[in-house]
Amino acid sequence: MTVFEEMAENGVIWQNGEFIDWADATTHVLTHGLHYGTGIFEGVRAYDTERGTAIFRWEEHLDRFYQSAKPYDMEIGHSREELTEATLGTLRRNDLESAYIRPIAYYGYHSLGVSPGDCPTDVVVAAWPWGAYLGEEALENGIKVKVSSWRKHASSQVPTNAKTTGLYVNSLLAGEEARRNGFAEAIVLNKEGNVAEGPGENVFLVRDGEIFTPGLSESILDGITRNTVIALAEERGYEVHDDVSISRGELNTADELFFSGSAAEVTPIRQVDNVTIGNGSRGPVTEELQGAFFDLVERRTDEHDDWFTYV
Ligand code: PMP
Protein backbone atom coordinates (compact mmCIF):
# COMPACT_ATOMS: atom_id res chain seq x y z
CA MET A 1 0.00 0.00 0.00
CA THR A 2 1.25 3.47 -0.75
CA VAL A 3 1.39 6.16 1.92
CA PHE A 4 -1.51 7.96 0.25
CA GLU A 5 -3.60 4.78 0.16
CA GLU A 6 -2.96 4.35 3.88
CA MET A 7 -3.77 7.99 4.63
CA ALA A 8 -6.98 7.68 2.58
CA GLU A 9 -8.32 5.09 5.04
CA ASN A 10 -8.69 7.38 8.06
CA GLY A 11 -6.77 10.55 7.25
CA VAL A 12 -8.06 14.10 7.13
CA ILE A 13 -7.01 17.17 5.16
CA TRP A 14 -7.74 20.78 6.00
CA GLN A 15 -9.43 22.51 3.05
CA ASN A 16 -10.71 26.09 3.08
CA GLY A 17 -11.37 26.19 6.80
CA GLU A 18 -12.50 22.69 7.61
CA PHE A 19 -11.15 19.24 8.15
CA ILE A 20 -12.49 16.77 5.62
CA ASP A 21 -11.83 13.12 4.87
CA TRP A 22 -8.64 12.56 2.90
CA ALA A 23 -10.59 10.87 0.09
CA ASP A 24 -12.97 13.84 -0.23
CA ALA A 25 -10.22 16.44 -0.65
CA THR A 26 -10.74 16.84 -4.40
CA THR A 27 -11.00 19.76 -6.80
CA HIS A 28 -12.79 20.47 -10.09
CA VAL A 29 -10.98 19.64 -13.36
CA LEU A 30 -11.43 23.25 -14.50
CA THR A 31 -9.49 24.62 -11.53
CA HIS A 32 -7.36 27.60 -12.64
CA GLY A 33 -4.26 26.35 -10.86
CA LEU A 34 -4.40 23.01 -12.63
CA HIS A 35 -4.34 24.69 -16.05
CA TYR A 36 -1.85 27.50 -15.47
CA GLY A 37 0.24 26.49 -12.46
CA THR A 38 -1.14 29.38 -10.44
CA GLY A 39 -0.51 28.04 -6.99
CA ILE A 40 1.99 28.67 -4.25
CA PHE A 41 3.03 26.14 -1.67
CA GLU A 42 5.34 25.11 1.10
CA GLY A 43 7.13 21.94 2.11
CA VAL A 44 7.71 21.71 5.84
CA ARG A 45 8.81 18.95 8.16
CA ALA A 46 7.63 18.03 11.62
CA TYR A 47 10.09 15.89 13.55
CA ASP A 48 9.57 13.28 16.24
CA THR A 49 11.81 14.96 18.80
CA GLU A 50 12.93 14.15 22.33
CA ARG A 51 10.27 16.67 23.40
CA GLY A 52 7.41 15.42 21.26
CA THR A 53 6.44 16.25 17.71
CA ALA A 54 7.67 19.66 16.59
CA ILE A 55 7.36 21.62 13.34
CA PHE A 56 10.72 23.01 12.23
CA ARG A 57 10.76 26.74 11.37
CA TRP A 58 7.00 26.94 10.84
CA GLU A 59 6.97 30.74 11.17
CA GLU A 60 9.54 31.15 8.39
CA HIS A 61 7.60 28.78 6.13
CA LEU A 62 4.45 30.79 6.83
CA ASP A 63 6.33 34.01 6.01
CA ARG A 64 7.40 32.58 2.66
CA PHE A 65 3.90 31.23 1.98
CA TYR A 66 2.38 34.71 2.23
CA GLN A 67 5.33 36.29 0.36
CA SER A 68 5.01 33.79 -2.50
CA ALA A 69 1.36 34.80 -3.01
CA LYS A 70 2.21 38.49 -3.50
CA PRO A 71 3.38 38.58 -7.15
CA TYR A 72 0.18 36.73 -8.12
CA ASP A 73 -2.11 39.11 -6.20
CA MET A 74 -3.39 36.09 -4.38
CA GLU A 75 -5.35 36.70 -1.18
CA ILE A 76 -4.73 33.80 1.17
CA GLY A 77 -7.87 34.69 3.12
CA HIS A 78 -6.75 32.85 6.28
CA SER A 79 -4.66 34.35 9.06
CA ARG A 80 -1.33 33.00 10.28
CA GLU A 81 -3.11 31.81 13.42
CA GLU A 82 -5.74 29.95 11.39
CA LEU A 83 -3.13 28.23 9.22
CA THR A 84 -1.11 27.32 12.29
CA GLU A 85 -4.17 25.79 13.95
CA ALA A 86 -5.03 24.03 10.69
CA THR A 87 -1.57 22.51 10.57
CA LEU A 88 -1.42 21.50 14.23
CA GLY A 89 -4.91 20.00 13.84
CA THR A 90 -3.86 18.10 10.73
CA LEU A 91 -0.89 16.56 12.55
CA ARG A 92 -2.94 15.71 15.63
CA ARG A 93 -5.99 14.29 13.86
CA ASN A 94 -3.79 12.12 11.66
CA ASP A 95 -1.73 10.91 14.65
CA LEU A 96 1.49 11.89 12.92
CA GLU A 97 4.63 11.80 15.05
CA SER A 98 6.76 13.03 12.20
CA ALA A 99 5.51 14.32 8.88
CA TYR A 100 6.02 16.23 5.70
CA ILE A 101 3.53 19.10 5.68
CA ARG A 102 2.20 20.57 2.45
CA PRO A 103 0.33 23.88 2.67
CA ILE A 104 -0.89 25.05 -0.75
CA ALA A 105 -2.98 27.96 -2.04
CA TYR A 106 -4.16 28.09 -5.65
CA TYR A 107 -6.63 29.86 -7.88
CA GLY A 108 -9.71 27.65 -7.91
CA TYR A 109 -12.80 27.02 -10.00
CA HIS A 110 -14.67 29.92 -11.56
CA SER A 111 -13.37 30.81 -15.04
CA LEU A 112 -10.43 29.90 -17.24
CA GLY A 113 -9.06 33.10 -18.69
CA VAL A 114 -5.40 33.38 -17.81
CA SER A 115 -6.46 36.34 -15.69
CA PRO A 116 -7.73 34.70 -12.51
CA GLY A 117 -10.52 37.30 -12.32
CA ASP A 118 -12.98 36.17 -9.67
CA CYS A 119 -11.46 32.74 -9.14
CA PRO A 120 -11.44 31.90 -5.45
CA THR A 121 -8.19 31.12 -3.71
CA ASP A 122 -8.40 27.61 -2.32
CA VAL A 123 -6.16 26.85 0.62
CA VAL A 124 -5.25 23.36 1.74
CA VAL A 125 -2.99 21.84 4.40
CA ALA A 126 -2.13 18.15 4.18
CA ALA A 127 0.47 16.06 5.98
CA TRP A 128 1.76 12.51 5.72
CA PRO A 129 4.77 10.43 6.77
CA TRP A 130 7.77 10.89 4.44
CA GLY A 131 11.23 9.51 5.09
CA ALA A 132 14.53 10.75 3.66
CA TYR A 133 13.71 12.44 0.31
CA LEU A 134 16.71 11.03 -1.54
CA GLY A 135 16.91 7.86 0.60
CA GLU A 136 18.61 6.98 3.91
CA GLU A 137 21.66 5.72 2.08
CA ALA A 138 22.05 9.10 0.36
CA LEU A 139 22.31 10.86 3.71
CA GLU A 140 25.28 8.71 4.65
CA ASN A 141 27.12 8.08 1.42
CA GLY A 142 26.09 10.99 -0.74
CA ILE A 143 24.56 11.06 -4.20
CA LYS A 144 25.61 11.41 -7.80
CA VAL A 145 24.21 14.51 -9.49
CA LYS A 146 24.06 15.62 -13.11
CA VAL A 147 24.41 19.19 -14.26
CA SER A 148 21.15 19.66 -16.12
CA SER A 149 20.93 20.59 -19.77
CA TRP A 150 17.92 22.69 -18.71
CA ARG A 151 18.67 26.15 -17.29
CA LYS A 152 16.78 27.57 -14.35
CA HIS A 153 14.22 30.25 -15.22
CA ALA A 154 15.77 33.65 -14.58
CA SER A 155 14.46 35.92 -11.85
CA SER A 156 13.81 38.46 -14.63
CA GLN A 157 11.31 36.04 -16.17
CA VAL A 158 9.46 34.77 -13.11
CA PRO A 159 9.84 35.51 -9.41
CA THR A 160 12.16 32.64 -8.52
CA ASN A 161 11.97 33.53 -4.84
CA ALA A 162 8.24 32.66 -4.82
CA LYS A 163 7.51 28.97 -4.33
CA THR A 164 5.09 28.68 -7.24
CA THR A 165 3.58 25.37 -8.37
CA GLY A 166 4.03 26.04 -12.11
CA LEU A 167 7.75 26.64 -11.77
CA TYR A 168 8.29 23.01 -10.81
CA VAL A 169 8.06 21.84 -14.42
CA ASN A 170 11.69 22.99 -14.60
CA SER A 171 12.51 20.87 -11.54
CA LEU A 172 10.77 17.86 -13.06
CA LEU A 173 12.64 18.18 -16.36
CA ALA A 174 16.02 18.53 -14.66
CA GLY A 175 15.43 15.77 -12.11
CA GLU A 176 14.03 13.25 -14.57
CA GLU A 177 16.81 13.89 -17.06
CA ALA A 178 19.32 13.19 -14.28
CA ARG A 179 17.55 10.00 -13.16
CA ARG A 180 17.22 8.70 -16.72
CA ASN A 181 20.98 8.98 -16.93
CA GLY A 182 21.67 7.11 -13.70
CA PHE A 183 22.03 10.08 -11.35
CA ALA A 184 19.98 10.69 -8.21
CA GLU A 185 19.35 14.39 -8.75
CA ALA A 186 20.27 17.42 -10.89
CA ILE A 187 22.13 20.66 -10.34
CA VAL A 188 20.59 23.43 -12.41
CA LEU A 189 22.60 26.35 -13.74
CA ASN A 190 21.04 29.79 -14.02
CA LYS A 191 20.63 31.75 -17.24
CA GLU A 192 24.15 33.16 -16.83
CA GLY A 193 25.53 29.62 -16.59
CA ASN A 194 26.45 29.76 -12.91
CA VAL A 195 25.27 27.30 -10.29
CA ALA A 196 21.73 28.05 -9.13
CA GLU A 197 20.30 25.15 -7.12
CA GLY A 198 18.87 21.65 -7.25
CA PRO A 199 15.30 20.93 -8.42
CA GLY A 200 14.18 21.14 -4.80
CA GLU A 201 17.38 21.93 -2.92
CA ASN A 202 19.96 24.65 -2.41
CA VAL A 203 23.63 23.83 -3.05
CA PHE A 204 26.62 24.29 -0.75
CA LEU A 205 30.30 24.01 -1.62
CA VAL A 206 33.24 23.56 0.79
CA ARG A 207 36.70 24.70 -0.27
CA ASP A 208 39.77 25.09 1.96
CA GLY A 209 37.61 24.95 5.07
CA GLU A 210 35.30 27.75 3.95
CA ILE A 211 31.70 27.43 2.85
CA PHE A 212 30.11 28.90 -0.27
CA THR A 213 26.52 28.97 -1.52
CA PRO A 214 25.00 30.90 -4.46
CA GLY A 215 23.60 34.31 -3.47
CA LEU A 216 19.94 35.22 -3.62
CA SER A 217 20.50 37.13 -6.88
CA GLU A 218 21.43 33.85 -8.65
CA SER A 219 17.72 33.01 -9.36
CA ILE A 220 17.31 30.67 -6.41
CA LEU A 221 14.69 30.01 -3.79
CA ASP A 222 15.64 31.54 -0.44
CA GLY A 223 15.76 28.17 1.27
CA ILE A 224 14.93 27.92 4.94
CA THR A 225 17.31 24.98 5.33
CA ARG A 226 19.96 27.07 3.52
CA ASN A 227 19.45 29.75 6.16
CA THR A 228 19.64 27.10 8.91
CA VAL A 229 22.86 25.60 7.54
CA ILE A 230 24.44 29.06 7.27
CA ALA A 231 23.58 29.75 10.93
CA LEU A 232 24.85 26.36 12.12
CA ALA A 233 28.09 26.78 10.15
CA GLU A 234 28.74 30.30 11.43
CA GLU A 235 28.06 29.18 15.00
CA ARG A 236 30.74 26.55 14.52
CA GLY A 237 33.25 29.16 13.39
CA TYR A 238 33.09 28.63 9.63
CA GLU A 239 33.45 31.49 7.20
CA VAL A 240 30.29 31.36 5.06
CA HIS A 241 30.10 33.15 1.70
CA ASP A 242 26.38 33.28 0.91
CA ASP A 243 26.38 36.07 -1.65
CA VAL A 244 28.58 34.66 -4.39
CA SER A 245 28.37 33.32 -7.92
CA ILE A 246 29.69 29.79 -8.28
CA SER A 247 30.85 28.69 -11.72
CA ARG A 248 30.17 25.22 -13.06
CA GLY A 249 33.87 24.42 -12.97
CA GLU A 250 34.10 25.17 -9.26
CA LEU A 251 31.80 22.22 -8.61
CA ASN A 252 34.48 19.86 -9.89
CA THR A 253 37.26 21.27 -7.75
CA ALA A 254 35.24 21.53 -4.53
CA ASP A 255 36.49 19.63 -1.49
CA GLU A 256 32.88 18.86 -0.61
CA LEU A 257 29.40 19.57 -1.96
CA PHE A 258 26.02 19.08 -0.38
CA PHE A 259 22.34 19.87 -0.88
CA SER A 260 20.02 21.46 1.68
CA GLY A 261 16.23 21.45 1.70
CA SER A 262 13.23 20.76 3.89
CA ALA A 263 12.67 17.49 2.04
CA ALA A 264 16.32 16.64 1.26
CA GLU A 265 17.58 17.89 4.67
CA VAL A 266 21.39 17.84 4.37
CA THR A 267 22.42 15.41 1.62
CA PRO A 268 26.09 15.00 0.61
CA ILE A 269 26.99 15.04 -3.11
CA ARG A 270 29.80 12.63 -4.00
CA GLN A 271 29.90 12.97 -7.76
CA VAL A 272 28.98 15.63 -10.35
CA ASP A 273 28.63 14.20 -13.87
CA ASN A 274 31.72 12.02 -14.28
CA VAL A 275 33.79 13.86 -11.64
CA THR A 276 34.32 12.50 -8.13
CA ILE A 277 34.04 15.19 -5.46
CA GLY A 278 36.71 15.15 -2.76
CA ASN A 279 37.31 11.57 -1.71
CA GLY A 280 33.99 10.40 -3.18
CA SER A 281 32.09 10.11 0.10
CA ARG A 282 30.54 12.40 2.72
CA GLY A 283 33.21 14.95 3.62
CA PRO A 284 34.09 16.02 7.19
CA VAL A 285 32.50 19.48 7.04
CA THR A 286 29.32 18.05 5.51
CA GLU A 287 29.26 15.37 8.20
CA GLU A 288 29.67 17.94 10.97
CA LEU A 289 26.91 20.21 9.64
CA GLN A 290 24.60 17.30 8.85
CA GLY A 291 25.11 16.01 12.39
CA ALA A 292 24.42 19.48 13.77
CA PHE A 293 21.28 19.69 11.63
CA PHE A 294 19.83 16.38 12.84
CA ASP A 295 20.80 17.12 16.47
CA LEU A 296 18.92 20.39 16.05
CA VAL A 297 15.75 19.12 14.40
CA GLU A 298 15.47 16.07 16.63
CA ARG A 299 16.06 18.37 19.66
CA ARG A 300 19.15 16.72 21.06
CA THR A 301 20.28 20.28 21.79
CA ASP A 302 18.62 23.27 23.46
CA GLU A 303 19.81 25.66 20.75
CA HIS A 304 17.29 27.61 18.69
CA ASP A 305 14.21 26.41 20.55
CA ASP A 306 12.37 29.39 19.04
CA TRP A 307 12.62 27.61 15.67
CA PHE A 308 10.20 24.91 16.85
CA THR A 309 6.44 24.80 17.09
CA TYR A 310 5.55 21.93 19.41
CA VAL A 311 2.46 19.96 18.50
N1 PMP B 1 15.17 25.41 -4.07
C1 PMP B 1 14.04 24.90 -4.56
C2 PMP B 1 13.72 25.10 -6.00
C3 PMP B 1 13.15 24.22 -3.72
O1 PMP B 1 12.02 23.70 -4.20
C4 PMP B 1 13.47 24.04 -2.36
C5 PMP B 1 12.53 23.30 -1.46
N2 PMP B 1 11.55 24.16 -0.91
C6 PMP B 1 14.68 24.59 -1.89
C7 PMP B 1 15.51 25.26 -2.78
C8 PMP B 1 15.06 24.47 -0.45
O2 PMP B 1 14.25 25.30 0.33
P1 PMP B 1 13.86 24.94 1.83
O3 PMP B 1 15.15 24.70 2.54
O4 PMP B 1 13.15 26.12 2.32
O5 PMP B 1 13.03 23.72 1.78
Side-chain angles (χ1 to χ4, degrees):
M1 247 211 306
T2 68
V3 175
F4 283 178
E5 281 168 345
E6 275 173 37
M7 292 300 299
E9 290 194 342
N10 296 306
V12 296
I13 284 176
W14 184 92
Q15 189 179 42
N16 297 327
E18 49 188 349
F19 291 100
I20 57 172
D21 286 346
W22 182 283
D24 294 337
T26 56
T27 193
H28 197 277
V29 292
L30 299 183
T31 294
H32 196 277
L34 178 62
H35 292 249
Y36 304 123
T38 49
I40 58 97
F41 69 107
E42 275 303 315
V44 190
R45 274 191 193 267
Y47 287 90
D48 182 12
T49 81
E50 314 237 313
R51 290 180 239 165
T53 302
I55 310 175
F56 181 51
R57 305 202 72 176
W58 172 247
E59 296 298 331
E60 290 82 354
H61 282 281
L62 256 189
D63 288 343
R64 193 170 64 188
F65 191 67
Y66 285 100
Q67 298 286 7
S68 292
K70 283 190 174 175
Y72 306 106
D73 271 335
M74 189 182 278
E75 268 306 322
I76 299 293
H78 297 274
S79 68
R80 294 178 73 96
E81 292 70 30
E82 261 181 291
L83 293 185
T84 302
E85 278 313 309
T87 301
L88 292 172
T90 302
L91 293 172
R92 289 181 192 131
R93 286 165 190 247
N94 289 301
D95 281 330
L96 292 166
E97 283 174 350
S98 67
Y100 181 81
I101 304 164
R102 168 54 54 84
I104 182 169
Y106 54 91
Y107 281 122
Y109 172 73
H110 181 74
S111 58
L112 267 184
V114 170
S115 166
D118 292 328
C119 284
T121 299
D122 288 330
V123 185
V124 171
V125 180
W128 60 89
W130 201 352
Y133 183 61
L134 296 163
E136 280 296 333
E137 204 253 316
L139 292 176
E140 200 170 319
N141 298 323
I143 55 169
K144 301 195 315 186
V145 302
K146 182 186 189 311
V147 175
S148 181
S149 69
W150 294 100
R151 292 287 171 90
K152 171 97 186 178
H153 22 59
S155 56
S156 58
Q157 298 169 317
V158 287
T160 50
N161 59 344
K163 198 165 164 62
T164 309
T165 59
L167 301 192
Y168 282 77
V169 291
N170 180 264
S171 296
L172 178 148
L173 289 167
E176 293 307 292
E177 176 189 64
R179 284 181 276 278
R180 269 199 303 277
N181 286 282
F183 297 84
E185 190 61 302
I187 285 183
V188 190
L189 306 179
N190 62 23
K191 193 162 150 274
E192 291 72 36
N194 293 317
V195 176
E197 59 188 350
E201 306 88 359
N202 291 110
V203 186
F204 282 83
L205 181 153
V206 182
R207 189 172 61 216
D208 297 332
E210 297 186 3
I211 297 173
F212 302 80
T213 192
L216 297 180
S217 54
E218 301 294 308
S219 299
I220 64 165
L221 188 73
D222 184 0
I224 292 162
T225 322
R226 174 184 182 276
N227 177 279
T228 304
V229 167
I230 292 169
L232 293 177
E234 286 178 342
E235 284 160 15
R236 280 155 188 76
Y238 287 102
E239 182 97 29
V240 182
H241 308 271
D242 62 1
D243 200 16
V244 291
S245 292
I246 296 176
S247 67
R248 179 176 184 169
E250 287 175 274
L251 293 174
N252 302 326
T253 55
D255 297 329
E256 302 178 32
L257 291 174
F258 63 90
F259 273 143
S260 74
S262 299
E265 299 167 309
V266 176
T267 300
I269 296 171
R270 63 181 163 86
Q271 185 179 324
V272 177
D273 294 320
N274 58 336
V275 177
T276 300
I277 304 305
N279 61 6
S281 62
R282 176 173 60 188
V285 177
T286 306
E287 186 168 357
E288 182 186 355
L289 295 176
Q290 187 190 50
F293 177 81
F294 282 110
D295 283 347
L296 173 78
V297 295
E298 287 163 10
R299 302 315 291 130
R300 288 188 289 271
T301 161
D302 289 333
E303 284 168 42
H304 297 294
D305 209 43
D306 55 325
W307 281 349
F308 293 85
T309 303
Y310 289 90
V311 180

